[in-house]
Amino acid sequence: MDDLLEPRAGATTAPTSQAELVARLGAGLPAEALVTDPDVMVSYAHDMASFCAAGAPAVVVLPRSVEQVRHVMRTATQLRVPVVPQGARTGLSGAANASDGCIVLSLVKMDRILEIDAADRVAVVEPGVVNATLSRAVAERGMYYPPDPSSWETCTIGGNIGTAAGGLCCVKYGVTSEYVLGLDVVLADGRLLSTGRRTAKGVAGYDLTRLLVGSEGSLGIVVKAVLALKPQPPAQLVLAAEFTSASAAGEAVRLIMERGHMPSLMELMDGTTVRAVNTMAHMGLPETTEALLLVAFDTADPAADLAAVGELCTAAGATEVVPADDAAESEMLMQARRLSLPALEAQFGTTMIDDVCVPRSRLSDMFEGVEAIAEKYDTKIGICAHAGDGNTHPIVCFDPQNEDEVRRAEEAFDEIMALGLRLGGTITGEHGVGVLKKDWLARELGPVELELQRQIKRAFDPLGLLNPGKLF
């Protein structure tokens, strides 16, 4: 692959061949950090999102140090070559998809936990650290890192920061952005920026750390993060409540939050999802339910909290309420929830997963609307949700070989996002915009905010080299 790489806007250099690009990169990188085999590079072309355009990279770079990342960005700026940063590529919006002729910058080899400080309650990590690896390491010190995306066994902290990832425990503990205290970031021209702090408090200047979290690699390359930790809570117990409809389960969520309860987890799977999980993992979940609501507490007396919530579920129409007997059974129920997307994919084939977040008080309206959309387009849609956050994941299932099914799936997907906005929600609660939703981002933001965000992008990346074609 020695095609010419087109220069970016504002370029003053001639088009660069792949051979020259690789040679320039190789001047500051070990040979093992460069991948040029087309058969290998294709595996770095895209994340897990369906129907998101992806190009062919000119080279894949796997740095192991900050200085190596700086060399890559200095080279990219000199040659006007776009750079697409990547973590484990578990994302669901196409934010990590390669563009033609780009440098794919995979941070997975920068995977060291640099420090865990129990007194300051911080961990300092490189971006390639896997979420579950960090969680287990801090647990050994009696600490807790709460953000836990469903892909936590494989997704990286850098990727979590890029999309402001959420997870199952956000209802009580919040999302990634609430745990990032400071960042080291390599800018498009190779300069190293340090933002934030490691102190418990700090309000000096603009909050660039929060700006960078969720920016999907479009403003800079995260090479180190200071993360806040919490003391390890008691083991949680989970309650499972069965409902005859997802909207009834949504009413239970409203009641639980209205009464002031603070569960550590509140997740929903509709009947389609429950049955798919059973088919895949033989977990013995109730096959006849149309919605299964999981509610957990990690308080000193979780049994009492679960009893109170169970009464509210019954009042909202639950047909059965079953508290878990112990932590092992609770973990089994959480694992069932984590399997929702893989189970639907295994049973129904290709999926498009929506990520619409609405006010909790509108959850029932959201679920009813999704059911109507599924009927309108004669399309199978499974629903799972971080119900306590109002963050719904309607999963549109279809046969990619059937053009009519593909068309109906795409129209249903778009109509779900429109529904979320009508209900006062947002097009993405945690997966990000990437390629999949950039047209919808403009609709949600409006022209004034959209232009301000583009100006911010230009301030950080005037040549437009970082993750082009994403977000805007």
Side-chain angles (χ1 to χ4, degrees):
M1 176 183 168
D2 205 18
D3 297 332
L4 293 183
L5 302 171
E6 292 300 325
R8 304 295 294 163
T12 58
T13 60
T16 305
S17 70
Q18 186 205 26
E20 180 183 354
L21 173 62
V22 172
R24 294 279 290 272
L25 289 170
L29 295 169
E32 63 269 18
L34 294 170
V35 177
T36 57
D37 183 333
D39 292 335
V40 178
M41 288 197 294
V42 72
S43 66
Y44 289 87
H46 56 84
D47 63 17
M48 294 179 65
S50 301
F51 293 98
C52 291
V59 61
V60 175
V61 181
L62 294 101
R64 292 183 178 270
S65 71
V66 174
E67 188 50 46
Q68 289 177 8
V69 176
R70 297 185 70 187
H71 171 70
V72 171
M73 294 312 306
R74 285 192 290 261
T75 302
T77 292
Q78 290 163 4
L79 300 179
R80 299 333 194 230
V81 178
V83 177
V84 175
Q86 290 183 348
R89 303 189 307 282
T90 58
L92 292 162
S93 70
N97 285 13
S99 54
D100 284 332
C102 75
I103 300 168
V104 162
L105 184 60
S106 173
L107 285 305
V108 294
K109 299 294 187 182
M110 295 180 66
D111 60 356
R112 294 179 299 161
I113 298 175
L114 301 172
E115 182 184 356
I116 298 172
D117 189 319
D120 286 337
R121 295 184 179 177
V122 298
V124 183
V125 305
E126 292 182 327
V129 172
V130 171
N131 185 294
T133 300
L134 174 63
S135 296
R136 292 178 180 127
V138 301
E140 291 176 359
R141 301 283 300 275
M143 305 301 292
Y144 178 42
Y145 180 67
D148 62 339
S150 293
S151 58
W152 77 309
E153 292 282 5
T154 51
C155 66
T156 62
I157 295 298
N160 294 170
I161 291 171
T163 59
L168 274 63
C169 295
C170 296
V171 61
K172 180 174 182 178
Y173 292 105
V175 299
T176 297
S177 58
E178 296 169 62
Y179 292 88
V180 182
L181 298 177
L183 294 170
D184 279 7
V185 177
V186 176
L187 298 176
D189 58 8
R191 288 179 296 165
L192 183 64
L193 169 69
S194 292
T195 74
R197 65 198 192 281
R198 62 178 291 154
T199 55
K201 297 168 67 177
V203 293
Y206 294 134
D207 192 346
L208 296 184
T209 304
R210 280 286 185 125
L211 177 63
L212 288 158
V213 177
S215 64
E216 302 184 22
S218 65
L219 302 180
I221 311 295
V222 172
V223 291
K224 186 171 74 174
V226 180
L227 305 174
L229 304 176
K230 289 186 175 292
Q232 183 69 44
Q236 63 182 0
L237 286 181
V238 178
L239 169 150
E242 299 178 43
F243 292 86
T244 57
S245 69
S247 60
E251 174 62 12
V253 172
R254 187 190 67 79
L255 287 174
I256 291 166
M257 300 307 290
E258 184 180 75
R259 300 295 172 85
H261 294 284
M262 186 54 69
S264 55
L265 172 149
M266 189 149 51
E267 298 289 309
L268 178 139
M269 296 184 287
D270 75 345
T272 298
T273 306
V274 167
R275 289 183 281 276
V277 170
N278 270 347
T279 299
M280 179 181 186
H282 308 290
M283 285 189 164
L285 300 175
E287 289 274 348
T288 57
T289 188
E290 290 307 317
L292 187 67
L293 183 66
L294 306 178
V295 185
F297 286 89
D298 59 5
T299 54
D301 187 8
D305 290 312
L306 291 180
V309 163
E311 292 179 2
L312 294 175
C313 288
T314 300
T319 56
E320 189 164 3
V321 176
V322 182
D325 291 329
D326 53 31
E329 188 175 353
S330 295
E331 179 57 34
M332 184 275 290
L333 289 169
M334 289 180 63
Q335 182 60 18
R337 168 62 183 87
R338 293 184 191 277
L339 288 174
S340 294
L341 178 56
L344 286 165
E345 289 177 337
Q347 182 163 351
F348 298 110
T350 303
T351 61
M352 296 177 71
I353 179 169
D354 240 315
D355 174 36
V356 174
C357 191
V358 299
R360 298 182 189 100
S361 59
R362 306 303 302 272
L363 269 175
S364 293
D365 297 327
M366 183 68 189
F367 295 142
E368 289 175 358
V370 170
E371 290 170 3
I373 291 168
E375 182 176 353
K376 174 181 176 180
Y377 290 99
D378 190 22
T379 299
K380 179 70 70 175
I381 302 178
I383 300 174
C384 57
H386 307 305
D389 307 320
N391 193 177
T392 69
H393 295 314
I395 301 169
V396 185
C397 308
F398 59 97
D399 177 359
Q401 305 304 317
N402 185 315
E403 290 185 6
D404 186 58
E405 280 197 29
V406 170
R407 176 190 59 78
R408 287 185 278 118
E410 291 178 335
E411 291 179 2
F413 183 88
D414 279 355
E415 196 157 324
I416 289 168
M417 283 191 285
L419 170 66
L421 292 180
R422 286 199 305 274
L423 295 176
T426 176
I427 59 169
T428 175
E430 58 186 3
H431 293 171
V433 175
V435 176
L436 189 63
K437 296 186 174 184
K438 66 179 187 177
D439 291 341
W440 281 93
L441 179 65
R443 302 187 206 189
E444 178 172 334
L445 297 184
V448 174
E449 184 175 354
L450 185 65
E451 179 52 30
L452 284 173
Q453 294 211 15
R454 286 173 170 160
Q455 289 177 18
I456 291 168
K457 164 71 171 170
R458 287 192 288 270
F460 276 82
D461 180 22
L463 297 178
L465 300 179
L466 284 168
N467 218 6
K470 316 296 167 51
L471 289 169
F472 309 119

